[in-house]
Amino acid sequence: AKSKHAREVTMQRLQQICGHLNLNAPQSQVESKQTAATRLPMALREIRHKLHLPLYKMKLMQDGLMKEMEKGLNGVESTVMMLPSFVMRRSVEGKSGEYYALDLGGTNFRVLKLVLKNSKVVDTKAAKYKIPLEHVTGGNADGLFGFIAKSVAKFIKGTRVNNPPLGFTFSFPMTKTSLNSGILVRWTKSFVTAGVVGQDVCALLAEQFAKEGVNMGVTALLNDTVGTLVTEYFKDNRAMLGVIIGTGFNVAYWEKVGNIPKYMEKNPGADPDETMCINMECGNFDSPTRRVLKYVYNKYDNEVDAASPNKGLGLTEKLVSGLYMGEIARLALRDLKRNKLIRGLKGKLEEKNGFPAWHLSGCVEEDDARLSKIEKVLKKSYGVSSTLEERQAIRMVCEWVVLRSARVAATIIGTVALKAGYEWDCTVAIDGSVFEKTPNYKKLMDEAFDDFFGGQPHNIRCVLTKDGSGVGAGLSAALMS
């Protein structure tokens, strides 16, 4: 309560000072009257304006995303791929037995064994294997998938395994042709392994399983977002969306097969009333077109995008994910430092990634009136002293970056819920470090939903759902077997 009061006092003081400034006066006249006490609030107000996402911008994003979703479902070129996962929304009742899962999404590879009794996980065994660097930054498909097969063989050694249901989370861009096949579109996350792009990753794995004598085959191939939705669905049949808000940003949701024309064309015998999980790849919404995001992006966002390895792509993800929030805050704070309104962080404000997202999270935690926690972060991480005014400025910038991230995420989620007709009663399963660890992030999303729906009745419940990439893969295999 004290820290909330302190923030309110700070904001009131900022607004009062800004309100007293004559913004219509000639610039020379304004500058002559400005003092250190007025220049900082003025600069902060400009930063706040850049990072503000008002309702009309949320509605512009809603309209744009609705159109892109329709194009994607129809197979027309779209900035959201709307990929059929071939994972169907079926009854989870009576699922019992042993199910296996593989999780490849980075340089650590995991194997899991789940034991289900009456659709509940009663036992889990897991092992993690670090992929040798030569299979990531070089090497070929045989080396990478051979390592995976050897790891699985080691995991099941001494166990009689007779082709059990197996879920495989492969968290890289792919196009799926069936439940257990997928073509890698491109590598991300520093992987450059040769001979995999354009190939069916399940077929590559099957070839290496045969060499190692592993009696397994992939039942369901998926990504972590689909796995997150399925994980929560096993606990709550009102789970309609799965979301990742961490180093990346993506949404998956249940869609009527009859509303997926590109799937129906290739599968004319499919039941149009059945429901399938769609992997949206929505972090790429409006990229690189910027038909809508041109009203959202500011100079900090443009600089972050220009310095990224995928310039022009993933533009919505760059507004939300933890990989970029620290950078956006750093660039805003760098402006304040360059204008001599705050002191620097021993050169870190001039360095790319010099203000990481976990420092940003530390600056928005509940704090006392003197912002002692921020003082400790600055002292411990950067070795600098700070005034209360500097700490207040840093906190405000960090809060505005977090607030915009939450409002963009809520806009995308709210749009998907509206499109699918789930806004009346919808559980949203969310995994990822930003949602889990950023103070008040869920509360900010809930408030953004209230704005987005404008007083219309809605019931969207965001819940933390852990390990969709591991447990979710095994549960997806159970669901589809």
Side-chain angles (χ1 to χ4, degrees), residues 64-342:
L65 181 57
M66 286 272 195
K67 292 173 181 174
E68 291 298 292
M69 289 175 72
E70 276 300 321
K71 289 197 294 184
L73 291 170
N74 278 279
V76 179
E77 185 177 353
S78 169
T79 61
V80 287
M81 296 176 74
M82 306 300 287
L83 302 171
S85 71
F86 296 84
V87 174
M88 300 297 184
R89 188 171 184 256
R90 296 174 175 171
S91 171
V92 302
E93 289 184 11
K95 297 291 182 181
S96 297
E98 295 180 352
Y99 303 88
Y100 285 80
L102 311 179
D103 176 17
L104 178 64
T107 53
N108 287 318
F109 166 71
R110 290 192 301 157
V111 187
L112 298 89
K113 175 186 173 183
L114 310 181
V115 179
L116 268 65
K117 187 174 181 180
N118 294 324
S119 305
K120 295 189 184 301
V121 178
V122 295
D123 190 33
T124 306
K125 177 186 174 186
K128 184 186 291 186
Y129 304 92
K130 186 164 184 62
I131 301 173
L133 201 59
E134 62 264 26
H135 297 321
V136 176
T137 58
N140 56 30
D142 286 349
L144 175 61
F145 287 91
F147 173 81
I148 291 172
K150 287 181 173 69
S151 300
V152 174
K154 188 184 299 182
F155 183 82
I156 63 173
K157 188 176 181 180
T159 305
R160 182 174 293 179
V161 173
N162 185 22
N163 201 26
L166 171 67
F168 182 16
T169 297
F170 186 76
S171 296
F172 300 92
M174 58 181 170
T175 54
K176 294 191 64 179
T177 52
S178 69
L179 179 63
N180 60 354
S181 64
I183 309 298
L184 177 65
V185 175
R186 66 181 182 275
W187 281 121
T188 56
K189 307 172 189 176
S190 78
F191 275 73
V192 293
T193 315
V196 186
V197 173
Q199 300 298 312
D200 181 351
V201 296
C202 290
L204 294 174
L205 182 61
E207 184 181 337
Q208 297 302 319
F209 273 173
K211 288 181 181 179
E212 295 298 326
V214 175
N215 188 18
M216 284 186 179
V218 175
T219 306
L221 177 68
L222 59 148
N223 76 347
D224 52 358
T225 319
V226 173
T228 298
L229 174 53
V230 172
T231 300
E232 192 62 32
Y233 177 63
F234 263 75
K235 296 181 281 185
D236 177 1
N237 64 8
R238 296 173 299 172
M240 299 300 182
L241 281 76
V243 182
I244 301 294
I245 310 178
T247 53
F249 173 59
N250 193 21
V251 175
Y253 74 105
W254 298 119
E255 179 65 272
K256 279 274 186 76
V257 167
N259 295 334
I260 316 172
K262 66 180 180 184
Y263 178 79
M264 292 296 291
E265 285 175 15
K266 295 180 180 179
N267 302 272
D271 181 356
D273 291 325
E274 211 174 6
T275 307
M276 179 194 291
C277 185
I278 291 289
N279 167 29
M280 292 181 62
E281 294 295 341
C282 65
N284 199 57
F285 166 57
D286 206 24
S287 309
T289 50
R290 296 201 192 201
R291 291 187 180 92
V292 174
L293 293 183
K294 65 184 177 184
Y295 302 110
V296 179
Y297 259 56
N298 58 55
K299 71 173 187 175
Y300 307 128
D301 302 313
N302 290 331
E303 187 169 343
V304 166
D305 177 48
S308 69
N310 61 338
K311 181 181 177 182
L313 299 175
L315 294 179
T316 297
E317 182 172 272
K318 287 168 184 170
L319 297 170
V320 177
S321 91
L323 193 60
Y324 304 101
M325 284 201 298
E327 269 298 274
I328 295 166
R330 178 186 72 84
L331 294 173
L333 294 173
R334 186 192 65 184
D335 268 6
L336 297 180
K337 189 261 179 184
R338 286 180 174 178
N339 288 317
K340 299 181 180 179
L341 299 173
I342 64 170

Side-chain angles (χ1 to χ4, degrees), residues 322-334 345 347-364 374 377-378 381-382 394-395 397-399 401:
L323 193 60
Y324 304 101
M325 284 201 298
E327 269 298 274
I328 295 166
R330 178 186 72 84
L331 294 173
L333 294 173
R334 186 192 65 184
L345 303 179
K348 291 296 183 181
L349 293 180
E350 300 292 338
E351 294 179 12
K352 185 179 179 182
N353 299 320
F355 190 76
W358 66 273
H359 286 176
L360 176 142
S361 291
C363 290
V364 297
I374 297 179
V377 169
L378 299 178
S381 301
Y382 301 99
I394 291 169
R395 184 181 183 90
V397 169
C398 292
E399 284 181 334
V401 171

